[in-house]
Amino acid sequence: MPELPEVEVVRRGLDAHVVGATVDSVQVLHPRAVRRHEPGPRDLALQVTGQKVASVEHRGKYMWLVLEPADLALVVHLGMSGQMLVQPPTVPDEKHLRIRAVLDNGADLRFVDQRTFGGWALAPLVEVDGDRLPLPVAHIARDPMDPRFDPDAVVAVLRTKHTEIKRALLDQTVVSGIGNIYADEALWRAGIHGERLASTLTKPAIGRLLDHARDVMAEALAQGGTSFDALYVNVNGASGYFDRSLSAYGQEGRPCPRCGSTMRREQFMNRSSTSCPRCQVRPRGLPR
Ligand SMILES: [Zn+2]
């Protein structure tokens, strides 16, 4: 699943290539790609045609195009394998092309999705705490790279959670944009085991953890931003360039870059978590 940096890489690419363009036509090539749009493929195509892309925005892992004059959000779910590609129309259709929007700037905006977990849907924009968000995104919290992210408020919320800190970090209604990769990285940098209860951590410890989450995502974004060229907007969910810089995620069996202990992998929330047994001590008394 793409996390905040991967989504932001795509958002920046779209910002450069589709903002200001008007949609001349839309073809939905696979109905599954618009299943979240209840009125169906014909309705989506009709409503999007003739609209101008006013901006491309995101909150955490959620991304949308603001369409004018309809003042609607075209919410893009990348799912597991969704890609938003900007292509010249002469490029042959990709094998897993699901939706094509022909733009008046001479480019196609193509949604390609091998596993079809992603898709497009239209949603009204609503005002939430000073921001305009698509209705399905209204409950999602600000991400740590949002200029209006309030770390003190998030620390206070996290300290009330009688749940594992990793579970709380992955809860998009508390803080958004963090998935398994950047949760493992931030926890390793902070020296905290993901199964520690959030309510047992000190205020400064949680503050540092959020700082690390922001820093690691900013570093990943800086490297992801170099990996796509002008007309190819890449989103593989995999961290692209940044996977060379990972310290914890996927590093099972390798030496901890800080202390040299062998990194371990554990199951948590049906996924794997990788951590250092010395830098990130497991809370005592946990059943295993
Ligand atoms: Zn270590």
Side-chain angles (χ1 to χ4, degrees):
M1 279 289 256
E3 302 181 29
L4 187 157
E6 292 75 36
V7 170
E8 176 61 4
V9 166
V10 177
R11 194 204 64 78
R12 288 181 179 182
L14 294 175
D15 190 58
H17 296 292
V18 308
V19 168
T22 296
V23 179
D24 281 339
S25 62
V26 176
Q27 287 169 272
V28 176
L29 303 166
H30 196 309
R32 215 175 123 72
V34 295
R35 69 191 180 284
R36 291 179 185 85
H37 185 73
E38 277 171 26
R42 251 181 75 84
D43 180 82
L44 181 127
L46 269 171
Q47 290 209 60
V48 173
T49 299
Q51 297 295 316
K52 187 174 91 176
V53 181
S55 61
V56 186
E57 311 198 7
H58 87 111
R59 171 166 282 196
K61 311 175 196 178
Y62 298 83
M63 180 172 61
W64 61 96
L65 281 59
V66 174
L67 302 180
E68 285 179 355
D71 198 29
L72 282 173
L74 178 63
V75 181
V76 178
H77 298 266
L78 295 170
M80 306 288 286
S81 57
Q83 292 181 313
M84 292 283 277
L85 304 182
V86 180
Q87 297 275 41
T90 49
V91 170
D93 288 1
E94 292 76 10
K95 185 173 174 201
H96 302 290
L97 179 62
R98 306 306 184 196
I99 309 170
R100 180 200 342 261
V102 177
L103 305 178
D104 71 347
N105 65 2
D108 280 359
L109 174 60
R110 300 184 184 182
F111 182 70
V112 175
D113 190 9
Q114 185 176 351
R115 299 177 66 181
T116 61
F117 289 116
W120 292 4
L122 286 168
L125 288 156
V126 295
E127 177 102 13
V128 184
D129 193 19
D131 287 317
R132 295 189 82 222
L133 301 174
L135 190 56
V137 181
H139 65 293
I140 300 298
R142 288 201 172 97
D143 60 68
M145 295 177 74
D146 188 317
R148 296 175 69 190
F149 181 74
D150 181 350
D152 294 340
V154 176
V155 168
V157 170
L158 285 169
R159 291 200 72 210
T160 67
K161 299 279 177 190
H162 301 294
T163 183
E164 301 91 340
I165 184 65
K166 181 167 177 182
R167 188 186 301 274
L169 275 186
L170 297 177
D171 179 348
Q172 304 296 305
T173 66
V174 175
V175 48
S176 69
I178 306 173
N180 210 30
I181 296 173
Y182 300 109
D184 276 8
E185 292 300 302
L187 287 162
W188 177 81
R189 288 185 180 200
I192 296 171
H193 192 284
E195 289 177 66
R196 288 278 304 273
L197 293 182
S199 54
T200 65
L201 294 168
T202 64
K203 222 185 259 191
I206 298 181
R208 279 196 301 275
L209 178 61
L210 290 175
D211 288 346
H212 285 304
R214 184 200 57 222
D215 291 349
V216 71
M217 290 196 291
E219 290 165 31
L221 176 59
Q223 294 188 42
T226 63
S227 67
F228 65 98
D229 69 342
L231 280 183
Y232 184 74
V233 188
N234 197 349
V235 46
N236 267 328
S239 3
Y241 251 56
F242 191 69
D243 46 8
R244 297 178 203 164
S245 308
L246 292 171
S247 299
Y249 181 83
Q251 305 301 303
E252 179 202 6
R254 299 205 180 141
C256 167
R258 190 162 43 212
C259 75
S261 302
T262 303
M263 299 290 285
R264 71 184 155 197
R265 188 170 69 165
E266 297 164 304
Q267 285 301 116
F268 180 64
M269 294 175 70
N270 294 321
R271 325 178 205 207
S272 57
S273 290
T274 311
S275 60
C276 170
R278 190 183 295 175
C279 301
Q280 296 166 270
V281 177
R282 265 180 72 79
R284 266 182 277 176
L286 271 188
R288 172 76 11 207

PDB file of all heavy atoms in Angstrom, residues 140-169:
ATOM      1  N   ILE A 140     -10.553  11.703   8.318  1.00  0.00           N
ATOM      2  CA  ILE A 140      -9.117  11.403   8.338  1.00  0.00           C
ATOM      3  C   ILE A 140      -8.367  12.568   8.994  1.00  0.00           C
ATOM      4  O   ILE A 140      -8.584  13.730   8.660  1.00  0.00           O
ATOM      5  CB  ILE A 140      -8.603  11.168   6.894  1.00  0.00           C
ATOM      6  CG1 ILE A 140      -9.339  10.000   6.230  1.00  0.00           C
ATOM      7  CG2 ILE A 140      -7.080  10.938   6.886  1.00  0.00           C
ATOM      8  CD1 ILE A 140      -9.152   8.660   6.916  1.00  0.00           C
ATOM      9  N   ALA A 141      -7.463  12.219   9.910  1.00  0.00           N
ATOM     10  CA  ALA A 141      -6.712  13.253  10.633  1.00  0.00           C
ATOM     11  C   ALA A 141      -5.629  13.866   9.738  1.00  0.00           C
ATOM     12  O   ALA A 141      -5.263  13.302   8.718  1.00  0.00           O
ATOM     13  CB  ALA A 141      -6.058  12.627  11.863  1.00  0.00           C
ATOM     14  N   ARG A 142      -5.118  15.032  10.138  1.00  0.00           N
ATOM     15  CA  ARG A 142      -3.994  15.631   9.406  1.00  0.00           C
ATOM     16  C   ARG A 142      -2.773  14.724   9.503  1.00  0.00           C
ATOM     17  O   ARG A 142      -2.567  14.046  10.502  1.00  0.00           O
ATOM     18  CB  ARG A 142      -3.647  17.003   9.991  1.00  0.00           C
ATOM     19  CG  ARG A 142      -4.697  18.058   9.659  1.00  0.00           C
ATOM     20  CD  ARG A 142      -4.114  19.469   9.796  1.00  0.00           C
ATOM     21  NE  ARG A 142      -5.090  20.421   9.282  1.00  0.00           N
ATOM     22  CZ  ARG A 142      -5.956  21.098  10.048  1.00  0.00           C
ATOM     23  NH1 ARG A 142      -5.924  20.949  11.353  1.00  0.00           N
ATOM     24  NH2 ARG A 142      -6.829  21.908   9.491  1.00  0.00           N
ATOM     25  N   ASP A 143      -1.940  14.771   8.470  1.00  0.00           N
ATOM     26  CA  ASP A 143      -0.708  13.978   8.492  1.00  0.00           C
ATOM     27  C   ASP A 143       0.434  14.830   9.043  1.00  0.00           C
ATOM     28  O   ASP A 143       0.343  16.060   9.083  1.00  0.00           O
ATOM     29  CB  ASP A 143      -0.406  13.430   7.089  1.00  0.00           C
ATOM     30  CG  ASP A 143      -0.233  14.534   6.064  1.00  0.00           C
ATOM     31  OD1 ASP A 143       0.764  15.277   6.166  1.00  0.00           O
ATOM     32  OD2 ASP A 143      -1.088  14.658   5.157  1.00  0.00           O
ATOM     33  N   PRO A 144       1.546  14.181   9.460  1.00  0.00           N
ATOM     34  CA  PRO A 144       2.632  14.926  10.129  1.00  0.00           C
ATOM     35  C   PRO A 144       3.332  15.934   9.217  1.00  0.00           C
ATOM     36  O   PRO A 144       4.057  16.793   9.709  1.00  0.00           O
ATOM     37  CB  PRO A 144       3.627  13.835  10.544  1.00  0.00           C
ATOM     38  CG  PRO A 144       2.856  12.562  10.517  1.00  0.00           C
ATOM     39  CD  PRO A 144       1.788  12.731   9.484  1.00  0.00           C
ATOM     40  N   MET A 145       3.127  15.862   7.895  1.00  0.00           N
ATOM     41  CA  MET A 145       3.759  16.828   7.007  1.00  0.00           C
ATOM     42  C   MET A 145       2.816  17.976   6.652  1.00  0.00           C
ATOM     43  O   MET A 145       3.208  18.903   5.937  1.00  0.00           O
ATOM     44  CB  MET A 145       4.262  16.121   5.744  1.00  0.00           C
ATOM     45  CG  MET A 145       5.384  15.134   6.104  1.00  0.00           C
ATOM     46  SD  MET A 145       5.999  14.195   4.699  1.00  0.00           S
ATOM     47  CE  MET A 145       6.940  15.444   3.862  1.00  0.00           C
ATOM     48  N   ASP A 146       1.591  17.914   7.158  1.00  0.00           N
ATOM     49  CA  ASP A 146       0.625  18.991   6.936  1.00  0.00           C
ATOM     50  C   ASP A 146       1.077  20.222   7.726  1.00  0.00           C
ATOM     51  O   ASP A 146       1.380  20.118   8.913  1.00  0.00           O
ATOM     52  CB  ASP A 146      -0.747  18.509   7.439  1.00  0.00           C
ATOM     53  CG  ASP A 146      -1.883  19.456   7.090  1.00  0.00           C
ATOM     54  OD1 ASP A 146      -1.714  20.689   7.235  1.00  0.00           O
ATOM     55  OD2 ASP A 146      -2.946  18.962   6.697  1.00  0.00           O
ATOM     56  N   PRO A 147       1.147  21.402   7.081  1.00  0.00           N
ATOM     57  CA  PRO A 147       1.611  22.596   7.804  1.00  0.00           C
ATOM     58  C   PRO A 147       0.748  22.900   9.035  1.00  0.00           C
ATOM     59  O   PRO A 147       1.226  23.548   9.970  1.00  0.00           O
ATOM     60  CB  PRO A 147       1.504  23.729   6.781  1.00  0.00           C
ATOM     61  CG  PRO A 147       1.074  23.118   5.494  1.00  0.00           C
ATOM     62  CD  PRO A 147       0.864  21.645   5.669  1.00  0.00           C
ATOM     63  N   ARG A 148      -0.494  22.420   9.043  1.00  0.00           N
ATOM     64  CA  ARG A 148      -1.360  22.692  10.200  1.00  0.00           C
ATOM     65  C   ARG A 148      -1.445  21.504  11.156  1.00  0.00           C
ATOM     66  O   ARG A 148      -2.302  21.478  12.036  1.00  0.00           O
ATOM     67  CB  ARG A 148      -2.742  23.119   9.705  1.00  0.00           C
ATOM     68  CG  ARG A 148      -2.652  24.448   8.933  1.00  0.00           C
ATOM     69  CD  ARG A 148      -3.968  24.829   8.330  1.00  0.00           C
ATOM     70  NE  ARG A 148      -4.932  25.204   9.357  1.00  0.00           N
ATOM     71  CZ  ARG A 148      -6.220  25.390   9.118  1.00  0.00           C
ATOM     72  NH1 ARG A 148      -6.689  25.256   7.897  1.00  0.00           N
ATOM     73  NH2 ARG A 148      -7.037  25.728  10.096  1.00  0.00           N
ATOM     74  N   PHE A 149      -0.564  20.541  10.996  1.00  0.00           N
ATOM     75  CA  PHE A 149      -0.496  19.407  11.936  1.00  0.00           C
ATOM     76  C   PHE A 149      -0.123  19.947  13.319  1.00  0.00           C
ATOM     77  O   PHE A 149       0.795  20.756  13.450  1.00  0.00           O
ATOM     78  CB  PHE A 149       0.580  18.430  11.439  1.00  0.00           C
ATOM     79  CG  PHE A 149       0.750  17.211  12.299  1.00  0.00           C
ATOM     80  CD1 PHE A 149      -0.198  16.189  12.289  1.00  0.00           C
ATOM     81  CD2 PHE A 149       1.866  17.061  13.109  1.00  0.00           C
ATOM     82  CE1 PHE A 149      -0.038  15.055  13.068  1.00  0.00           C
ATOM     83  CE2 PHE A 149       2.045  15.920  13.896  1.00  0.00           C
ATOM     84  CZ  PHE A 149       1.091  14.921  13.874  1.00  0.00           C
ATOM     85  N   ASP A 150      -0.844  19.501  14.327  1.00  0.00           N
ATOM     86  CA  ASP A 150      -0.613  19.995  15.695  1.00  0.00           C
ATOM     87  C   ASP A 150      -0.053  18.846  16.543  1.00  0.00           C
ATOM     88  O   ASP A 150      -0.801  18.048  17.098  1.00  0.00           O
ATOM     89  CB  ASP A 150      -1.948  20.502  16.271  1.00  0.00           C
ATOM     90  CG  ASP A 150      -1.790  21.060  17.674  1.00  0.00           C
ATOM     91  OD1 ASP A 150      -0.701  20.893  18.281  1.00  0.00           O
ATOM     92  OD2 ASP A 150      -2.764  21.647  18.175  1.00  0.00           O
ATOM     93  N   PRO A 151       1.302  18.762  16.641  1.00  0.00           N
ATOM     94  CA  PRO A 151       1.881  17.610  17.332  1.00  0.00           C
ATOM     95  C   PRO A 151       1.445  17.501  18.794  1.00  0.00           C
ATOM     96  O   PRO A 151       1.202  16.387  19.280  1.00  0.00           O
ATOM     97  CB  PRO A 151       3.397  17.835  17.224  1.00  0.00           C
ATOM     98  CG  PRO A 151       3.601  19.207  16.681  1.00  0.00           C
ATOM     99  CD  PRO A 151       2.311  19.696  16.109  1.00  0.00           C
ATOM    100  N   ASP A 152       1.321  18.631  19.491  1.00  0.00           N
ATOM    101  CA  ASP A 152       0.938  18.554  20.904  1.00  0.00           C
ATOM    102  C   ASP A 152      -0.442  17.928  21.067  1.00  0.00           C
ATOM    103  O   ASP A 152      -0.678  17.113  21.971  1.00  0.00           O
ATOM    104  CB  ASP A 152       0.946  19.950  21.541  1.00  0.00           C
ATOM    105  CG  ASP A 152       2.357  20.524  21.603  1.00  0.00           C
ATOM    106  OD1 ASP A 152       3.323  19.735  21.518  1.00  0.00           O
ATOM    107  OD2 ASP A 152       2.491  21.762  21.725  1.00  0.00           O
ATOM    108  N   ALA A 153      -1.362  18.315  20.178  1.00  0.00           N
ATOM    109  CA  ALA A 153      -2.717  17.764  20.259  1.00  0.00           C
ATOM    110  C   ALA A 153      -2.699  16.259  19.969  1.00  0.00           C
ATOM    111  O   ALA A 153      -3.383  15.479  20.641  1.00  0.00           O
ATOM    112  CB  ALA A 153      -3.641  18.482  19.277  1.00  0.00           C
ATOM    113  N   VAL A 154      -1.880  15.843  18.998  1.00  0.00           N
ATOM    114  CA  VAL A 154      -1.829  14.415  18.647  1.00  0.00           C
ATOM    115  C   VAL A 154      -1.166  13.619  19.776  1.00  0.00           C
ATOM    116  O   VAL A 154      -1.607  12.518  20.121  1.00  0.00           O
ATOM    117  CB  VAL A 154      -1.125  14.210  17.291  1.00  0.00           C
ATOM    118  CG1 VAL A 154      -0.972  12.726  16.967  1.00  0.00           C
ATOM    119  CG2 VAL A 154      -1.899  14.907  16.174  1.00  0.00           C
ATOM    120  N   VAL A 155      -0.116  14.175  20.377  1.00  0.00           N
ATOM    121  CA  VAL A 155       0.512  13.511  21.522  1.00  0.00           C
ATOM    122  C   VAL A 155      -0.521  13.303  22.633  1.00  0.00           C
ATOM    123  O   VAL A 155      -0.631  12.221  23.210  1.00  0.00           O
ATOM    124  CB  VAL A 155       1.716  14.334  22.053  1.00  0.00           C
ATOM    125  CG1 VAL A 155       2.189  13.804  23.407  1.00  0.00           C
ATOM    126  CG2 VAL A 155       2.869  14.321  21.047  1.00  0.00           C
ATOM    127  N   ALA A 156      -1.316  14.341  22.890  1.00  0.00           N
ATOM    128  CA  ALA A 156      -2.328  14.243  23.952  1.00  0.00           C
ATOM    129  C   ALA A 156      -3.337  13.135  23.642  1.00  0.00           C
ATOM    130  O   ALA A 156      -3.707  12.353  24.531  1.00  0.00           O
ATOM    131  CB  ALA A 156      -3.035  15.591  24.128  1.00  0.00           C
ATOM    132  N   VAL A 157      -3.750  13.043  22.384  1.00  0.00           N
ATOM    133  CA  VAL A 157      -4.705  11.983  22.008  1.00  0.00           C
ATOM    134  C   VAL A 157      -4.050  10.612  22.161  1.00  0.00           C
ATOM    135  O   VAL A 157      -4.633   9.684  22.728  1.00  0.00           O
ATOM    136  CB  VAL A 157      -5.202  12.173  20.556  1.00  0.00           C
ATOM    137  CG1 VAL A 157      -5.999  10.956  20.084  1.00  0.00           C
ATOM    138  CG2 VAL A 157      -6.035  13.441  20.444  1.00  0.00           C
ATOM    139  N   LEU A 158      -2.807  10.494  21.683  1.00  0.00           N
ATOM    140  CA  LEU A 158      -2.137   9.187  21.744  1.00  0.00           C
ATOM    141  C   LEU A 158      -1.969   8.714  23.192  1.00  0.00           C
ATOM    142  O   LEU A 158      -2.067   7.529  23.473  1.00  0.00           O
ATOM    143  CB  LEU A 158      -0.772   9.255  21.038  1.00  0.00           C
ATOM    144  CG  LEU A 158      -0.844   9.273  19.507  1.00  0.00           C
ATOM    145  CD1 LEU A 158       0.515   9.623  18.897  1.00  0.00           C
ATOM    146  CD2 LEU A 158      -1.321   7.925  18.956  1.00  0.00           C
ATOM    147  N   ARG A 159      -1.742   9.651  24.092  1.00  0.00           N
ATOM    148  CA  ARG A 159      -1.531   9.252  25.497  1.00  0.00           C
ATOM    149  C   ARG A 159      -2.794   8.722  26.154  1.00  0.00           C
ATOM    150  O   ARG A 159      -2.731   8.122  27.224  1.00  0.00           O
ATOM    151  CB  ARG A 159      -0.953  10.429  26.300  1.00  0.00           C
ATOM    152  CG  ARG A 159       0.471  10.737  25.854  1.00  0.00           C
ATOM    153  CD  ARG A 159       1.220  11.514  26.885  1.00  0.00           C
ATOM    154  NE  ARG A 159       1.564  10.682  28.046  1.00  0.00           N
ATOM    155  CZ  ARG A 159       1.690  11.152  29.275  1.00  0.00           C
ATOM    156  NH1 ARG A 159       1.487  12.433  29.529  1.00  0.00           N
ATOM    157  NH2 ARG A 159       2.026  10.363  30.264  1.00  0.00           N
ATOM    158  N   THR A 160      -3.952   8.952  25.530  1.00  0.00           N
ATOM    159  CA  THR A 160      -5.197   8.403  26.089  1.00  0.00           C
ATOM    160  C   THR A 160      -5.487   7.012  25.545  1.00  0.00           C
ATOM    161  O   THR A 160      -6.457   6.382  25.950  1.00  0.00           O
ATOM    162  CB  THR A 160      -6.410   9.296  25.734  1.00  0.00           C
ATOM    163  OG1 THR A 160      -6.620   9.228  24.313  1.00  0.00           O
ATOM    164  CG2 THR A 160      -6.180  10.743  26.152  1.00  0.00           C
ATOM    165  N   LYS A 161      -4.667   6.528  24.618  1.00  0.00           N
ATOM    166  CA  LYS A 161      -4.982   5.263  23.932  1.00  0.00           C
ATOM    167  C   LYS A 161      -4.411   4.065  24.695  1.00  0.00           C
ATOM    168  O   LYS A 161      -3.199   3.910  24.792  1.00  0.00           O
ATOM    169  CB  LYS A 161      -4.404   5.269  22.500  1.00  0.00           C
ATOM    170  CG  LYS A 161      -4.947   6.374  21.614  1.00  0.00           C
ATOM    171  CD  LYS A 161      -6.291   5.984  21.043  1.00  0.00           C
ATOM    172  CE  LYS A 161      -6.883   7.110  20.217  1.00  0.00           C
ATOM    173  NZ  LYS A 161      -8.264   6.879  19.826  1.00  0.00           N
ATOM    174  N   HIS A 162      -5.303   3.227  25.184  1.00  0.00           N
ATOM    175  CA  HIS A 162      -4.850   2.017  25.879  1.00  0.00           C
ATOM    176  C   HIS A 162      -4.682   0.900  24.854  1.00  0.00           C
ATOM    177  O   HIS A 162      -5.292  -0.155  24.945  1.00  0.00           O
ATOM    178  CB  HIS A 162      -5.835   1.634  26.983  1.00  0.00           C
ATOM    179  CG  HIS A 162      -6.010   2.722  27.990  1.00  0.00           C
ATOM    180  ND1 HIS A 162      -4.993   3.135  28.841  1.00  0.00           N
ATOM    181  CD2 HIS A 162      -7.055   3.539  28.247  1.00  0.00           C
ATOM    182  CE1 HIS A 162      -5.424   4.137  29.587  1.00  0.00           C
ATOM    183  NE2 HIS A 162      -6.670   4.403  29.235  1.00  0.00           N
ATOM    184  N   THR A 163      -3.862   1.207  23.868  1.00  0.00           N
ATOM    185  CA  THR A 163      -3.654   0.274  22.769  1.00  0.00           C
ATOM    186  C   THR A 163      -2.189   0.358  22.367  1.00  0.00           C
ATOM    187  O   THR A 163      -1.489   1.286  22.766  1.00  0.00           O
ATOM    188  CB  THR A 163      -4.594   0.653  21.608  1.00  0.00           C
ATOM    189  OG1 THR A 163      -4.455  -0.290  20.559  1.00  0.00           O
ATOM    190  CG2 THR A 163      -4.261   2.023  21.035  1.00  0.00           C
ATOM    191  N   GLU A 164      -1.717  -0.612  21.606  1.00  0.00           N
ATOM    192  CA  GLU A 164      -0.318  -0.633  21.213  1.00  0.00           C
ATOM    193  C   GLU A 164      -0.003   0.617  20.386  1.00  0.00           C
ATOM    194  O   GLU A 164      -0.795   1.038  19.554  1.00  0.00           O
ATOM    195  CB  GLU A 164       0.010  -1.877  20.385  1.00  0.00           C
ATOM    196  CG  GLU A 164      -0.263  -3.199  21.089  1.00  0.00           C
ATOM    197  CD  GLU A 164      -1.665  -3.729  20.830  1.00  0.00           C
ATOM    198  OE1 GLU A 164      -2.551  -2.934  20.437  1.00  0.00           O
ATOM    199  OE2 GLU A 164      -1.866  -4.935  21.029  1.00  0.00           O
ATOM    200  N   ILE A 165       1.200   1.166  20.587  1.00  0.00           N
ATOM    201  CA  ILE A 165       1.554   2.421  19.905  1.00  0.00           C
ATOM    202  C   ILE A 165       1.576   2.245  18.388  1.00  0.00           C
ATOM    203  O   ILE A 165       1.149   3.142  17.646  1.00  0.00           O
ATOM    204  CB  ILE A 165       2.906   2.995  20.431  1.00  0.00           C
ATOM    205  CG1 ILE A 165       3.210   4.353  19.789  1.00  0.00           C
ATOM    206  CG2 ILE A 165       4.071   2.038  20.225  1.00  0.00           C
ATOM    207  CD1 ILE A 165       2.243   5.468  20.137  1.00  0.00           C
ATOM    208  N   LYS A 166       1.968   1.073  17.908  1.00  0.00           N
ATOM    209  CA  LYS A 166       1.984   0.903  16.447  1.00  0.00           C
ATOM    210  C   LYS A 166       0.554   0.910  15.896  1.00  0.00           C
ATOM    211  O   LYS A 166       0.285   1.537  14.866  1.00  0.00           O
ATOM    212  CB  LYS A 166       2.709  -0.379  16.028  1.00  0.00           C
ATOM    213  CG  LYS A 166       2.749  -0.527  14.502  1.00  0.00           C
ATOM    214  CD  LYS A 166       3.711  -1.581  14.025  1.00  0.00           C
ATOM    215  CE  LYS A 166       3.627  -1.706  12.495  1.00  0.00           C
ATOM    216  NZ  LYS A 166       4.508  -2.750  11.964  1.00  0.00           N
ATOM    217  N   ARG A 167      -0.357   0.249  16.598  1.00  0.00           N
ATOM    218  CA  ARG A 167      -1.758   0.253  16.160  1.00  0.00           C
ATOM    219  C   ARG A 167      -2.291   1.697  16.121  1.00  0.00           C
ATOM    220  O   ARG A 167      -2.978   2.101  15.182  1.00  0.00           O
ATOM    221  CB  ARG A 167      -2.603  -0.606  17.117  1.00  0.00           C
ATOM    222  CG  ARG A 167      -4.043  -0.822  16.656  1.00  0.00           C
ATOM    223  CD  ARG A 167      -4.862  -1.562  17.728  1.00  0.00           C
ATOM    224  NE  ARG A 167      -4.307  -2.869  18.056  1.00  0.00           N
ATOM    225  CZ  ARG A 167      -4.573  -3.995  17.388  1.00  0.00           C
ATOM    226  NH1 ARG A 167      -5.372  -3.960  16.339  1.00  0.00           N
ATOM    227  NH2 ARG A 167      -4.037  -5.139  17.748  1.00  0.00           N
ATOM    228  N   ALA A 168      -1.940   2.475  17.143  1.00  0.00           N
ATOM    229  CA  ALA A 168      -2.400   3.865  17.200  1.00  0.00           C
ATOM    230  C   ALA A 168      -1.805   4.706  16.067  1.00  0.00           C
ATOM    231  O   ALA A 168      -2.483   5.553  15.486  1.00  0.00           O
ATOM    232  CB  ALA A 168      -2.067   4.472  18.560  1.00  0.00           C
ATOM    233  N   LEU A 169      -0.527   4.448  15.740  1.00  0.00           N
ATOM    234  CA  LEU A 169       0.109   5.193  14.635  1.00  0.00           C
ATOM    235  C   LEU A 169      -0.539   4.882  13.294  1.00  0.00           C
ATOM    236  O   LEU A 169      -0.559   5.720  12.396  1.00  0.00           O
ATOM    237  CB  LEU A 169       1.591   4.794  14.507  1.00  0.00           C
ATOM    238  CG  LEU A 169       2.652   5.463  15.350  1.00  0.00           C
ATOM    239  CD1 LEU A 169       4.023   4.965  14.899  1.00  0.00           C
ATOM    240  CD2 LEU A 169       2.585   6.981  15.258  1.00  0.00           C
TER     241      LEU A 169
END
